[in-house]
Amino acid sequence: MESYYKHHVFFCLNERGADAPRPCCARQGAQAMQDYAKKRIKQLGLAGKGEIRINKAGCLDRCEEGPVLVVYPEGVWYTYVDQDDIDEIIDSHLVQGQPVERLMI
């Protein structure tokens, strides 16, 4: 069966209270990075059926390694710090098919 998207990217955007015992991706800038990735994929003309979909997700349960995103169908997990990291994931993994080892978890 053929996948609807070439790549489906889920950004954890889970938010916990300040007194929660575990960290959360929302407090580490995940929403801004998800917005940025979605915008960049659209600018590159890579959004839509047969291409790349950038989605929000609730807790992906890798909180201590966050912020995190996961790329399917490969199931490759990443952490990131800034837009440069997101650009590298997009350019290397999503466009060229080469996972970014330094950001993999």
Side-chain angles (χ1 to χ4, degrees):
M1 174 181 243
E2 189 173 322
S3 180
Y4 191 80
Y5 297 111
K6 180 179 178 184
H7 295 288
H8 206 154
V9 182
F10 293 92
F11 278 76
C12 178
L13 300 183
N14 190 57
E15 185 169 3
R16 290 190 172 91
D19 60 343
R22 294 179 77 188
C24 68
C25 293
R27 294 185 183 273
Q28 298 180 58
Q31 180 67 64
M33 293 299 100
Q34 191 266 347
D35 291 342
Y36 174 77
K38 191 168 188 167
K39 180 180 172 185
R40 177 119 193 281
I41 290 299
K42 286 181 180 179
Q43 288 173 339
L44 292 171
L46 298 173
K49 182 180 179 187
E51 295 290 341
I52 299 168
R53 174 76 180 186
I54 306 294
N55 269 102
K56 299 175 182 181
C59 184
L60 295 174
D61 203 26
R62 298 197 75 175
C63 310
E64 287 73 23
E65 300 174 90
V68 300
L69 65 86
V70 60
V71 177
Y72 288 109
E74 300 93 328
V76 175
W77 290 81
Y78 290 109
T79 189
Y80 55 88
V81 174
D82 54 24
Q83 288 183 357
D84 291 337
D85 289 345
I86 298 301
D87 284 337
E88 189 173 357
I89 292 167
I90 290 171
D91 296 339
S92 182
H93 187 151
L94 303 180
V95 174
Q96 298 174 19
Q98 297 295 320
V100 182
E101 289 192 34
R102 74 175 190 85
L103 298 173
M104 291 171 68
I105 55 174

